[in-house]
Amino acid sequence: MESLTSRMQGVQSPIIPVVGELIKNSPGTISLGQGVVHYNPPPETIEFLPKFFADSANNLYKSVEGIPPLLTALAGKLQAFNGIEINGEKCIVVTAGSNMGFMNAILAITNPGDEIILNTPYYFNHEMAIAIAGCRPVLVTTDENYQLRPNAIAQAITPKTRAIVTISPNNPTGVVYSEAALRQVNQICDTNGIYHISDEAYEYFTYNGVKHVSPGAFGSSKYTISLFSLSKAYGFASWRIGYMVIPKHLFVAIKKVQDTILICPPVISQYAALGALQAKEEYLQNNIGAISQVRQLVLDSLNRLEGLCSITPANGAFYFFLKVNTQMDAFELVKRLIQEHKVAVIPGTTFGMDDGCYLRVAYGALQKETAKEGIERLVQGLETIIRS
């Protein structure tokens, strides 16, 4: 039978399932791969579910943009934590995760052939969404510390540019972008009439006194699209709830996309999210505090690789991005680490880094003792493989 061709042939395959298959074939492997947290949602999540079941009308479709109580709760959170006021110029759309929010945004603001600026290393699902939409990613390298280079971003703009994407705290590097650089990006977008898509899925994960900054709170934010997620901070990965803050003029276009793909975010998950947002402050403080302790343990171990790897300082998310001093292909190195040393990481090539051997190390999914064992395996594995 003749094989069918489609635009999907030009889209990279997601790396997580590929690495997952390698892990499955090497029982006992500790994964420092997937970017999730080890803890569960707060108990308030489950406590709110009877409210969903109590209303028989919840079997029906609800508003495309989300149920009113959740929109109200999110508006309060955005004002208190992000400094973003929901008014006549901005509105919230609840999505099935922030990846969906990104896809919504790309489809709403582009035509096929348009360009989106990504800073490298990029988040692979962003690059995939741009390709699916028939658009072209324009890659701008970050500096030696993976920080933004606003002048280089400005120079990459063409008449086909529709948006600049930033992720802070960053996936895959863990760095937090400076407020000054994010303000410059907002100004560049304002001047050129293009959008700043700000992915803030890791907004709560900052360390060493570093504070999260939301570009949507800046004065020049009429071209800012802000993406948020409950997946990370609230242990909500499978519940699939995120949300976007968009300029009001995009509301109709975004609703068209979401109504076509989803109709409405799962209502039971929206009730769960409403419950999660009632959690006491200690929930985030304690869980992120525990991840901070694991982060220090991981960093102390990685520092033993001096000479074998370059480790950029990172004060956010739950990642470190290593540059390994080897000519070896990154995916080949990942395979050997799994098969020979029973530890999994993600190759940098999937984040657009083809100019060397890079690895993303994720430490959010593990309790301290497991993380300690996993990072020891990684350090010993790299020392053995690279020096052999």
Side-chain angles (χ1 to χ4, degrees), residues 148 150 166-168 177-187 196 198 213-215 218:
L148 297 174
T166 62
I167 311 169
S168 184
Y177 296 150
S178 71
E179 179 175 346
L182 290 170
R183 284 186 179 276
Q184 279 183 272
V185 172
N186 253 36
Q187 189 56 56
H196 179 182
S198 172
V213 176
S214 292
F218 302 158

Side-chain angles (χ1 to χ4, degrees), residues 71 78 148 166 194 231 242 269 320:
L71 293 173
L78 287 161
L148 297 174
T166 62
I194 60 178
S231 293
S269 292
F320 288 113

Side-chain angles (χ1 to χ4, degrees), residues 278-292:
Q278 316 302 313
K280 297 179 176 63
E281 236 175 79
E282 290 77 20
Y283 170 80
L284 291 177
Q285 288 175 348
N286 293 342
N287 283 310
I288 294 173
I291 286 180
S292 178

Side-chain angles (χ1 to χ4, degrees), residues 258-277:
Q258 181 139 304
D259 185 70
T260 301
I261 297 172
L262 186 69
I263 299 184
C264 66
V267 178
I268 190 168
S269 292
Q270 291 190 70
Y271 271 80
L274 190 55
L277 292 172

